[in-house]
Amino acid sequence: MSDDSRPSLTGGRPGTPVAAVIPAAGRGVRLGPGAPKALRTLGGTPMLVHAVRAMAASRAVSLVVVVAPPDDTAEVKSLLDAHALPERTDVLVVPGGETRQESVKLGLDALPPGHEIVLVHDAARPLVPVDTVDAVIEAVRDGAVAVVPALPLADTVKQVEPALVAGAPEPVVATPDRSRLRAVQTPQGFDRATLIRAHGTVTDDVTDDASMVEQLGERVVAVPGDEEAFKVTRPLDLILAEAVLARRRLNDGF
Ligand code: CTP
Ligand code: MG
């Protein structure tokens, strides 16, 4: 291992190969009935294919590990064979688990040696621009062990005492200072060894990988995210995603 490949706040590690793990094994319950979310189409192409292409668009990414719905692994493999990706990018498909956290862990277990920087990217964020991917990679290469793309919030946020019955009025407990809050997206970027240690140590339920690294007491930093990296969660998000794609196609024939 050359000195270049060790994390350091001053030297960084330019040129370190990057792998991306894409958890895509969720059902998409909030989107309503239908195929698993990652297999639903946007502009005629499965969401997962958009997400894989978004990672492969970065010249630094040489491997993408897709964590597929366990019953659809074969279908996902043939889907990815049928859709063109850059020559430089290898793709692996592995079956996922019951939770996002388990799925990411299964993706990490499948990583071959040689990629010391790992991105974790939700299949449900199909339209993240390559500039965001590259900004995250650059911050890890510059020495951060964990990097999240993040945006300021548009809405004021209230902390409440959650009602026991859905729809009942909920007492407001506090209003955090919005200027100090960020909405966090993916891809999140990590020093591989740190992320693997986090997944081997932290057992609490979490909704992102960076929070596991925080629990280790390691420093996580935020870089600017992008509005187009939004997560497709509910039906309205599909309409927004279709509109973003249509605009891109109009602008550059993509
Ligand atoms: N995910 C996964 N394995 C799971 C659950 C989720 O790989 N067991 C993935 C999803 O496929 C998605 C990402 O984690 O790309 C973010 O999760 P979310 O947006 O919550 O997707 P779903 O869990 O599919 O949606 P829902 O919670 O509405 O069912
Ligand atoms: Mg979910």
Side-chain angles (χ1 to χ4, degrees):
M1 191 188 281
S2 76
D3 280 354
D4 264 5
S5 59
R6 293 207 191 108
S8 110
L9 288 173
T10 46
R13 32 186 190 176
T16 317
V18 179
V21 172
I22 302 189
R27 283 192 300 276
V29 172
R30 287 169 290 178
L31 211 48
K37 181 157 72 178
L39 301 180
R40 309 246 194 141
T41 57
L42 289 177
T45 303
M47 210 180 301
L48 173 62
V49 173
H50 287 286
V52 173
R53 284 182 173 158
M55 295 300 103
S58 168
R59 303 194 65 80
V61 173
S62 50
L63 173 67
V64 178
V65 178
V66 172
V67 189
D71 294 341
D72 301 299
T73 307
E75 185 184 342
V76 165
K77 277 188 183 146
S78 53
L79 256 184
L80 292 169
D81 285 342
H83 289 84
L85 289 170
E87 275 285 297
R88 59 173 183 269
T89 320
D90 290 328
V91 180
L92 282 175
V93 179
V94 298
E98 282 296 308
T99 64
R100 182 186 182 280
Q101 210 167 337
E102 276 177 41
S103 293
V104 173
K105 172 84 164 56
L106 290 163
L108 293 176
D109 289 346
L111 275 182
H115 300 83
E116 295 311 316
I117 294 177
V118 177
L119 304 179
V120 181
H121 180 62
D122 292 330
R125 298 183 189 271
L127 302 180
V128 59
V130 68
D131 287 354
T132 307
V133 182
D134 283 336
V136 169
I137 293 170
E138 192 184 342
V140 184
R141 283 183 166 168
D142 284 349
V145 296
V147 179
V148 297
L151 288 179
L153 301 183
D155 295 321
T156 295
V157 172
K158 302 282 185 199
Q159 186 184 339
V160 299
E161 202 55 67
L164 297 176
V165 182
E170 301 178 313
V172 169
V173 177
T175 305
D177 174 7
R178 191 175 72 189
S179 69
R180 297 171 66 92
L181 297 175
R182 299 288 180 269
V184 170
Q185 306 177 320
T186 72
Q188 299 186 351
F190 302 91
D191 164 59
R192 174 182 178 151
T194 305
L195 181 61
I196 287 176
R197 186 156 57 91
H199 272 271
T201 316
V202 177
T203 50
D204 297 5
D205 248 355
V206 293
T207 51
D208 78 340
D209 300 277
S211 57
M212 304 175 82
V213 173
E214 287 165 56
Q215 287 191 44
L216 294 181
E218 297 284 352
R219 187 177 145 92
V220 176
V221 295
V223 298
D226 193 288
E227 274 188 273
E228 294 190 359
F230 68 95
K231 185 152 73 76
V232 174
T233 305
R234 299 182 187 86
L236 193 59
D237 301 321
L238 283 176
I239 294 169
L240 180 59
E242 292 286 2
V244 170
L245 265 185
R247 191 187 59 189
R248 282 187 191 176
R249 285 182 171 147
L250 210 71
N251 284 349
D252 52 34
F254 171 72

